[in-house]
Amino acid sequence: ERPVVTRLLLDDEVLEGTIPMELSGIAFEFLEIISMSNNTLKGSIPSSLGTFYNLQELNLRENQLTGTLPTELEELLNLEVLNLDRNSITGSIPWEFNSMHLIEELSLFDNSITGSIPDTMEQLRNLELLYLENNELTGTLPSGLSKCTRLRELRLRSNLQLGGTIPPSYGDTLVDLVVLYLDRMALSGTIPTSFGKLTKLQDLQLYENNLGGPVPTELGNLQELQWLYLDSNYLNGSVPVELGELRKLRFLYLSENGLVGSLPQQLGQLTMLEVSL
């Protein structure tokens, strides 16, 4: 009888070569976790991984993998974590990934992924962590992400050609967000006033975009906010006095905008605050 393996944990093992998926004498079909992070694995991600139907976690981060994302991964209906960040993966995000209804973490940052964010991603209703930063994504922010109401961290930063406006629905429904990184992109329009509903938000970074209009007074509702980076945009008007209500605020970056007037006196009462104008 063949030995049954449920976990394949080979992180930090100085592994080289390609990913072997056929080892005689071992029943791999029962695998629940494959973790081979921080090695020097090369080549493409085997499409045969899509046949490991019991897989719950696939972690291949920090390798030298190339090629595209296999659409066969759509068969991993029990997958909860897919972490492929810090590789050299190209191509687009397959729209077929919408079948991964149990996925909670999708991490693809620091690759060379192109194309737009699939509209079908709105069907990933259990998604809590979405890390797509530092790729080559294009198109606009899909409003459908507002249906992923369990999101706690949304990181899309450093996709220099990903633009459009910020959907106001993000503020209406993504009320569990703690981290929102939309900086170093091509966003235009204004900062939605609905962001004032994101009362769990601790880190909001929107710098280096083409955002205009005023700083919403509603941001004064974000009592958990510690980092607010709005620099290098086209914001105008004055700095809202309501920001002085943010008792936990540590960093406020507003430089390289068109803001006028002086800082509200209330901000001077925040003794731990670092301000950049």
Side-chain angles (χ1 to χ4, degrees):
E1 184 176 337
R2 295 186 301 166
V4 173
V5 177
T6 59
R7 297 186 175 199
L8 188 60
L9 307 178
L10 296 171
D11 305 293
D12 305 295
E13 293 290 347
V14 201
L15 296 176
E16 298 179 347
T18 58
I19 300 175
M21 281 297 109
E22 294 182 4
L23 297 180
S24 60
I26 299 178
F28 277 107
E29 61 265 29
F30 298 101
L31 272 173
E32 296 176 356
I33 298 176
I34 296 177
S35 191
M36 300 179 178
S37 66
N38 199 23
N39 288 291
T40 53
L41 295 170
K42 299 180 180 180
S44 58
I45 300 170
S47 59
S48 57
L49 283 174
T51 63
F52 297 150
Y53 304 121
N54 293 304
L55 204 60
Q56 298 173 16
E57 178 178 340
L58 177 58
N59 182 1
L60 302 175
R61 71 189 303 262
E62 293 191 63
N63 280 286
Q64 299 175 19
L65 298 172
T66 55
T68 60
L69 296 167
T71 57
E72 288 82 359
L73 297 183
E74 69 172 309
E75 301 294 336
L76 302 179
L77 303 183
N78 292 303
L79 200 66
E80 298 176 1
V81 176
L82 177 59
N83 192 329
L84 303 174
D85 60 63
R86 292 181 174 149
N87 281 286
S88 298
I89 298 169
T90 56
S92 59
I93 301 172
W95 64 267
E96 294 93 343
F97 279 12
N98 67 320
S99 62
M100 301 177 183
H101 293 300
L102 297 182
I103 198 161
E104 298 176 0
E105 177 183 341
L106 178 57
S107 184
L108 303 175
F109 72 84
D110 283 357
N111 280 288
S112 298
I113 297 173
T114 55
S116 59
I117 300 173
D119 292 333
T120 53
M121 197 166 287
E122 68 181 47
Q123 299 175 33
L124 305 181
R125 302 299 171 84
N126 286 302
L127 195 61
E128 297 182 7
L129 308 174
L130 180 58
Y131 301 149
L132 301 179
E133 67 258 49
N134 202 21
N135 278 289
E136 299 173 18
L137 295 171
T138 55
T140 60
L141 293 182
S143 60
L145 281 181
S146 60
K147 296 180 181 179
C148 302
T149 56
R150 295 189 180 183
L151 272 174
R152 292 185 290 111
E153 296 191 17
L154 177 58
R155 305 186 182 200
L156 306 179
R157 65 175 5 157
S158 298
N159 284 286
L160 302 181
Q161 298 183 57
L162 182 57
T165 59
I166 304 174
S169 55
Y170 285 12
D172 292 325
T173 61
L174 301 182
V175 293
D176 284 335
L177 275 180
V178 176
V179 173
L180 179 57
Y181 290 166
L182 300 178
D183 51 276
R184 302 192 72 236
M185 296 167 61
L187 297 174
S188 56
T190 60
I191 302 173
T193 58
S194 60
F195 275 15
K197 302 175 185 177
L198 303 177
T199 55
K200 296 181 182 179
L201 203 58
Q202 298 178 15
D203 195 347
L204 175 58
Q205 305 203 15
L206 302 175
Y207 65 88
E208 292 187 30
N209 278 291
N210 299 309
L211 297 170
V215 178
T217 59
E218 289 82 358
L219 296 185
N221 298 330
L222 309 182
Q223 293 299 308
E224 299 299 319
L225 199 62
Q226 301 179 46
W227 295 271
L228 180 57
Y229 290 75
L230 304 178
D231 46 303
S232 300
N233 279 289
Y234 296 95
L235 301 173
N236 53 45
S238 58
V239 180
V241 296
E242 287 82 0
L243 295 188
E245 302 298 322
L246 303 177
R247 302 302 178 188
K248 296 183 179 181
L249 195 61
R250 299 288 305 275
F251 298 94
L252 175 61
Y253 282 35
L254 300 171
S255 60
E256 298 184 54
N257 279 290
L259 298 171
V260 296
S262 57
L263 278 177
Q265 293 182 352
Q266 291 88 337
L267 288 173
Q269 301 172 11
L270 306 179
T271 56
M272 301 295 292
L273 180 62
E274 175 183 313
V275 179
S276 173
L277 290 175

